[in-house]
Amino acid sequence: NVFLWSDKMKRDLGNILESWVKSNNRKPLILRGARQVGKSWLVRELGKAFKYFVEVNFDKRSEFEEFFKMTKDPQELVELLSNYTGVKIIPGETLLFLDEIQNCPEAISSLRYFFEEMPELHVVAAGSLLEFELRKISLPVGRIQFLYVYPLSFGEFLCAVGREDLREMLINNQLNPIPLPIDRMLKEFVRIYTITGGMPEVVKTYIESKDLHECQNNQADILQTYRRDFHKYAKKHQIKYLEKLFTTLSLQTGRKFKYSEVDPAIKSITLSDSLDLLCSAGIVRKIYHSSSNGIPISAETDLKKFKIVFFDIGLMLNLINFDFKPLLLDPDIAFINNGVLAEQFVAQNLVAYSNPRREAQLFYWHRESRSSNAEVDYVIEFNNKVVPIEVKSDTKGAMKSMKIFMESKNCDFGLKISSYPYSLNDSVQSIPFYGMEAFLKSQK
């Protein structure tokens, strides 16, 4: 397998990329995702499987833009790029990588012509702030493929630290009890993953040094990069609001978001526009309320009601200057920060295990009533059914909200995620945090 980093780091998307290379119905591919989630690395690793690899980086070499402004003809572009780089571009033998493509709208538009006139050539594009440019360009339907790249899942993290055996064991074991010594080991990896998060560079640092303080330094550098990006996609007067949101969003993680709690002196519409920018940059994710009466869940979305989560748990902890030492001592992440870490862990992995061919969406359910409020942390679709999820910090858990949801929606199955063992009681499946992938794959 060519999708390796230091003989350990491996991404699940590697298998999909391999299939794309071999497909007879291949189209130019765009990798989408936040900065530094590993898009460029994935393509460079893919390039090792080709005889020739040409990387066109529109951020480092602005002169590349001139070629795409000169012509839209794929054959002419290939000749220009080949002559300029000194590398042969031969359909079937060369991988052409257009990186930071958001800096050249003409290059984005050219992808349709590569599909129509030179379909044999393997073309991949990526960009860290691509979403903002894609809003302005009308992409031809059916001529371009997309893959979404997210931080490492917990399963990918296990592989990265050399414990692919544990990942395979969990999947093969499905939802059966895990021996106590292995359970303890997996909980330890859950805690480490919670601290490092899934950003490839941070995980790489942990693999090489096992120094969590150095991992925090990497995270701080990444956060600074995101701050420096503000001026690239925000208007000058919006930057101060982005900073305000960036530093306070984590305080509302896991509950209904209120603009007034960010700063009551700032108009909601102003903060709303800025929050949308952070979402488009991939830094923050909205979890919308849905009535969840049936599939698709998105059909009953209330856009005015939402919760927010940071896109990476390790970066979120770094942003709030979280001291990870108590986390190393506490066996249960659900008890830390009033359960916020647990909800963030679940959200991040629901996204990571989702279909990468379309953008992940998360939903929750909340009933506001004078007599009895009820809230289910997440609601997902599996096997054409609505499945409520609650993230709990005790053995039995206050499952009142889950029961209300299941009764009112005629739902015959629910999921509880905690640090406690696998069990099934009253149509509610309990799984430990490390068992999410095993559960999700058991439903397919």
Side-chain angles (χ1 to χ4, degrees), residues 174-230:
Q174 296 186 347
L175 305 180
N176 296 311
I178 300 293
L180 188 57
I182 298 177
D183 171 79
R184 290 173 181 157
M185 186 186 306
L186 287 165
K187 286 178 179 176
E188 174 63 21
F189 282 124
V190 167
R191 292 199 293 275
I192 297 299
Y193 173 82
T194 299
I195 297 169
T196 65
M199 297 300 284
E201 185 62 30
V202 180
V203 175
K204 180 174 179 284
T205 296
Y206 177 75
I207 293 170
E208 295 176 347
S209 70
K210 299 297 188 292
D211 187 338
L212 293 174
H213 292 286
E214 187 60 31
C215 290
Q216 286 191 315
N217 292 337
N218 286 156
Q219 291 165 341
D221 291 341
I222 293 172
L223 290 172
Q224 280 301 107
T225 299
Y226 290 149
R227 284 190 168 97
R228 288 195 296 270
D229 280 344
F230 289 167

Side-chain angles (χ1 to χ4, degrees), residues 12-53:
D12 292 347
L13 276 178
N15 296 326
I16 296 177
L17 288 172
E18 282 184 319
S19 297
W20 173 81
V21 169
K22 300 172 184 177
S23 174
N24 293 324
N25 300 312
R26 183 181 57 255
K27 303 169 185 176
L29 179 66
I30 297 180
L31 299 187
R32 303 167 73 169
R35 182 184 288 277
Q36 298 192 36
V37 291
K39 300 183 296 297
S40 298
W41 176 83
L42 274 165
V43 183
R44 289 171 189 143
E45 291 298 300
L46 182 66
K48 295 177 181 178
F50 287 79
K51 187 175 181 179
Y52 306 106
F53 176 65

